[in-house]
Amino acid sequence: MEELRASDPSWIGGHRLLGRLGAGGMGAVYLGRTADGALAAVKVILPEHAGDADFRARFHREAEAARRVDSPWAVRVTGSGTEDERPWLATEFVPGPALSEAVARCGPLPARSVRVLGRLLARALAAVHTAGLVHRDVKPGNVLLGADGPRLIDFGVARITDATALTATDLVVGTPGFLAPEQATEGAAAVGPAGDVFSLGCLLAYAATGRPPFGSGAVDALLYRTVHDAPDLDGIDDPELGALLGAMLDKEPAARPTAAALDERIAEDAPDGSIDWLPEDVVRLIADRSAEILALPGIDATQVAADTVVPAPSRRRLLLLAGAGAVAVAGGGAFAVREWLRDDDTAGSGGDGPRTWTIGVQADLSGPRAAVGRAQERGVRLAVDRFNSRTDKPFTLRVKVIDDRGTAAEGKRAAERFTRDRDVLAVVGPTDDPVTTAVLGTYDEAMLPIVTVSSQQLTFAVRSMRSFFQAVPSDAALAYPIRNRLVLRPDVQRLGVLLDRAGGQSAYQAGYFLNRIIGTTTNGTTYPRVVPAGTRDLAPVVDDLLANRSDALFHAGDQAGAARAARALAATPYKGPRMAMHTAMGPRFLADAGAAAEGWEFVSPCVGATAPAVKEFAAAHRKKYGGAPALWAAEAYDAAGLVLAAVTALARRNRPPARTALVKKIATSSYQGVSRDYAFGEDYRLKGITAHLHGVRDGAFRYLGPAPQTEN
């Protein structure tokens, strides 16, 4: 959830707005609290659409449709103002994950859980149909798992059965892969309650297997399979559940049971307020989300006199909710590495001669990612050496390094020291996601540019950080070159994805997005498996991946887990493509996997030291440090070069550029580095997904060249 922006309202319809839950082209959704403390999701229409009569009519229809549904398993409307100057709609707030996220993170649900889920959602649909409505978009993303059970949400495309549609009659409404055959062939006007039952069948099949029953890929292919092919229910061994899904997924609408009949047919039930029918890891995920909401600060209304001017917030910070897969970072080492240069906040400020300006490096030099931090420090120092060696340099640079030990507390102290030092032009770092998360607000308030080359978290919100540049593809973005290498080849039809939760949030992002994009951008399929952190024996999981026709394998996890997967795979006849996350590309993987490591590959944001573009940089590194550059050194070298190019373009004699001007210049610049070309989008994320391919050859990691690219 994001904090409110200066342009956001603070109150809507008696709700004090606490933060942004999301936004789109038509409006924003806020977390609101009423005077009695109840939380609500408040959808507010943008001013530019509020004057559109047709848009208001559709919004009014959505509110009325949702209000007519009376079920504990459908999200309740708690208020609306469709005729207000800025139309709004408030519904109860469910802090749990969507079903789609729960399955992606925790794996398919057992048969009993699927049956209970089916019965509760059937009751929700029965209430929808009793109200004279058709939902038309029943899918895993529209089911939230709350602490007291599931909720069917989003009546934005619901249609009153006896009313004239406000959309074209031949428009396909719904989500391909989860819509009924009649939706695909006859258009929106022909859809009735039986279509919702078919969609619920698709949803339950997804919950039971982890994949849509009609596959994934191009929309036209999905619609064709929905109309003509039998559903893929492989892996559902429970006869009762298989028969139930077969009836719900009948091609003929009249042959399907009604929602009310499903309620009678399914024997399993759950008492109100109970979720013990769900697996333990799903319950834990729901509990974590609920606890996060309870931890929100209580924001009391502030009474302000009518003539008081309230200043806009000085910064916009991201309120990050730590998910169940977040990585706990180890404490700092036993000592702090001394900085190579004097670390006082007044250096370079005296005298009338040319100024010595500073590039900061905030890195983990004595904690869990010390090797990465040292490589990045060396890269920045080499960039500054190269700049200072110029005879035409307009100013002189020095490097100021602060070891944050890989901890949030030390990271905050480092950020405060850098922001106080007015000679610091910009900072390269931090090394890892948790520390980056902790320091963003400090740098943002000071408008000091911060460029990270190894923090790959996806959840840094768009425009929430005004001076933060993520100069590296996220773990989620790397799913595209991984897809290109593993799936866009004639000998692979199904990718087995082993998501090892020991790898934390980065493994979840990589595995989840890879599984998602293969279904939506290729004709291939996936077979995902999620294993809990601490799973030692991966042989049964690997055997299951191969038994389900996986002809390529991807492991999302850490070095130890990848090594276990490699050993398990080596014990089988499998000889096909195999890949692990770049985070597994370390000495422990080679040591633990032994001969089984041979042939494994890795898509990484890091260029190899033998790449032709890195030749001069690698030679300079060997000359100064006596060895080849480690991974991440070239990327830090590029980050410093990017900053220096922007500073040079703005610098005036004895006057460093203003920090705000430097942020703007970096944001609008293009820079050709040795590892990739750099340019940033509106959200200050790196444009493009340049990545590199590495592999184990003859018992060692080798650079294999650029990762294959396609338009995404």
Side-chain angles (χ1 to χ4, degrees):
M1 185 177 74
E2 290 184 57
E3 284 195 351
L4 295 176
R5 303 176 182 178
S7 59
D8 287 330
S10 58
W11 289 87
I12 284 287
H15 297 83
R16 175 69 185 269
L17 303 187
L18 307 182
R20 278 176 163 248
L21 296 174
M26 299 300 179
V29 182
Y30 301 95
L31 178 61
R33 180 182 283 136
T34 62
D36 60 4
L39 294 176
V42 186
K43 181 185 293 187
V44 182
I45 301 307
L46 291 174
E48 53 264 39
H49 299 295
D52 185 331
D54 289 340
F55 189 89
R56 274 186 177 271
R58 287 193 295 272
F59 189 67
H60 178 78
R61 183 187 63 179
E62 175 185 353
E64 290 305 308
R67 197 183 295 277
R68 292 168 65 168
V69 178
D70 182 16
S71 170
W73 313 118
V75 68
R76 293 182 299 105
V77 172
T78 59
S80 65
T82 58
E83 303 304 321
D84 290 3
E85 182 178 357
R86 290 193 66 178
W88 59 275
L89 172 67
T91 62
E92 64 174 321
F93 179 68
V94 182
L99 174 64
S100 53
E101 180 187 355
V103 171
R105 295 186 64 167
C106 305
L109 303 181
R112 177 178 179 269
S113 298
V114 175
R115 287 196 293 269
V116 175
L117 177 68
R119 186 169 197 182
L120 300 181
L121 293 179
R123 291 172 178 171
L125 278 182
V128 170
H129 300 158
T130 299
L133 303 172
V134 184
H135 189 284
R136 299 201 298 178
D137 199 18
V138 178
K139 61 182 180 181
N142 278 343
V143 173
L144 298 181
L145 300 178
D148 56 351
R151 297 290 193 283
L152 180 65
I153 67 168
D154 197 353
F155 294 85
V157 295
R159 180 168 180 257
I160 302 172
T161 53
D162 59 355
T164 302
L166 294 179
T167 54
T169 57
D170 59 350
L171 180 66
V172 176
V173 175
T175 301
F178 295 93
L179 49 73
E182 59 269 25
Q183 283 176 278
T185 58
E186 301 178 44
V191 177
D196 283 346
V197 171
F198 188 95
S199 298
L200 179 59
C202 293
L203 178 150
L204 297 178
Y206 169 84
T209 66
R211 61 186 185 275
F214 297 100
S216 52
V219 171
D220 54 350
L222 265 176
L223 297 179
Y224 180 89
R225 290 195 295 269
T226 300
V227 174
H228 299 285
D229 292 356
D232 175 12
L233 301 179
D234 288 352
I236 299 178
D237 300 324
D238 184 271
E240 182 182 347
L241 180 58
L244 177 71
L245 294 179
M248 297 173 71
L249 296 174
D250 197 291
K251 303 295 185 189
E252 292 298 326
R256 300 171 203 149
T258 65
L262 287 174
D263 184 12
E264 297 294 330
R265 176 170 177 170
I266 301 173
E268 280 82 3
D269 201 356
D272 290 351
S274 169
I275 53 172
D276 59 2
W277 48 275
L278 286 168
E280 181 180 351
D281 51 353
V282 178
V283 173
R284 188 181 303 114
L285 177 62
I286 296 170
D288 287 346
R289 292 295 172 81
S290 299
E292 289 160 6
I293 293 302
L294 290 175
L296 284 172
I299 303 178
D300 296 324
T302 301
Q303 299 298 323
V304 181
D307 57 350
T308 300
V309 177
V310 181
S314 61
R315 59 179 174 172
R316 292 174 289 171
R317 295 182 294 108
L318 180 65
L319 178 60
L320 289 174
L321 301 179
V327 183
V329 179
F335 64 95
V337 175
R338 291 182 178 274
E339 297 179 37
W340 290 20
L341 295 173
R342 183 164 60 98
D343 177 34
D344 62 276
D345 292 343
T346 60
S349 61
D352 296 325
R355 296 284 292 272
T356 298
W357 299 335
T358 303
I359 294 292
V361 178
Q362 179 178 341
D364 176 2
L365 299 176
S366 56
R369 297 195 74 191
V372 175
R374 287 193 296 271
Q376 292 183 10
E377 178 192 1
R378 290 180 173 185
V380 174
R381 288 191 180 281
L382 285 170
V384 170
D385 287 350
R386 182 171 182 267
F387 181 87
N388 285 340
S389 69
R390 291 171 46 184
T391 58
D392 62 340
K393 60 180 180 294
F395 47 86
T396 303
L397 284 170
R398 74 177 185 116
V399 179
K400 176 176 179 175
V401 182
I402 301 180
D403 177 16
D404 62 27
R405 306 186 190 186
T407 70
E410 289 295 326
K412 289 180 180 179
R413 283 192 280 270
E416 289 167 359
R417 291 165 66 186
F418 274 131
T419 55
R420 288 197 307 264
D421 186 344
R422 300 307 302 177
D423 285 333
V424 175
L425 302 172
V427 175
V428 176
T431 309
D432 208 354
D433 292 324
V435 179
T436 301
T437 299
V439 304
L440 285 179
T442 302
Y443 285 111
D444 183 58
E445 185 173 23
M447 279 302 287
L448 178 61
I450 173 174
V451 184
T452 183
V453 298
S454 57
S455 295
Q456 296 179 259
Q457 187 167 296
L458 182 64
T459 53
F460 300 126
V462 173
R463 304 298 291 175
S464 66
M465 292 296 119
R466 299 176 299 169
S467 63
F468 172 59
F469 295 89
Q470 193 173 16
V472 60
S474 69
D475 286 311
L478 288 180
Y480 288 96
I482 293 170
R483 172 206 65 183
N484 299 347
R485 179 67 174 176
L486 289 181
V487 180
L488 298 185
R489 48 196 293 170
D491 58 333
V492 172
Q493 294 298 319
R494 171 170 288 192
L495 176 65
V497 179
L498 199 169
L499 203 168
D500 188 339
R501 294 184 66 184
Q505 190 71 4
S506 61
Y508 161 67
Q509 289 181 5
Y512 170 77
F513 277 92
L514 181 62
N515 184 63
R516 178 180 176 182
I517 67 167
I518 287 174
T520 57
T521 65
T522 77
N523 290 325
T525 59
T526 60
Y527 183 72
R529 283 294 306 271
V530 180
V531 298
T535 303
R536 304 294 300 177
D537 185 8
L538 293 182
V541 183
V542 169
D543 290 343
D544 181 54
L545 292 170
L546 299 180
N548 281 275
R549 306 188 306 279
S550 298
D551 38 27
L553 295 180
F554 179 76
H555 178 272
D558 58 8
Q559 292 188 53
R564 287 193 286 270
R567 293 196 305 270
L569 191 62
T572 72
Y574 178 82
K575 301 298 180 184
R578 74 287 307 271
M579 181 179 287
M581 286 184 64
H582 67 92
T583 51
M585 193 168 50
R588 182 173 181 180
F589 174 74
L590 294 179
D592 289 359
E598 194 68 24
W600 279 75
E601 293 183 348
F602 312 83
V603 165
S604 169
C606 303
V607 68
T610 59
V614 184
K615 183 177 180 180
E616 291 184 11
F617 166 72
H621 192 282
R622 289 187 180 93
K623 182 178 180 180
K624 181 164 185 172
Y625 297 109
L631 295 179
W632 300 108
E635 287 69 31
Y637 176 84
D638 283 346
L642 165 74
V643 170
L644 294 178
V647 172
T648 302
L650 295 174
R652 300 293 182 266
R653 182 172 176 82
N654 292 345
R655 293 181 58 191
R659 289 174 172 178
T660 52
L662 184 55
V663 167
K664 183 177 180 180
K665 185 65 178 177
I666 295 172
T668 56
S669 296
S670 297
Y671 180 77
Q672 185 174 5
V674 299
S675 62
R676 60 172 51 85
D677 291 341
Y678 291 82
F680 297 95
E682 291 184 359
D683 55 359
Y684 296 176
R685 291 182 186 271
L686 185 69
K687 289 183 178 179
I689 313 175
T690 299
H692 302 275
L693 187 65
H694 303 255
V696 179
R697 302 292 185 268
D698 300 323
F701 294 111
R702 310 290 183 189
Y703 178 63
L704 305 181
Q709 295 189 26
T710 61
E711 292 186 8
N712 298 315

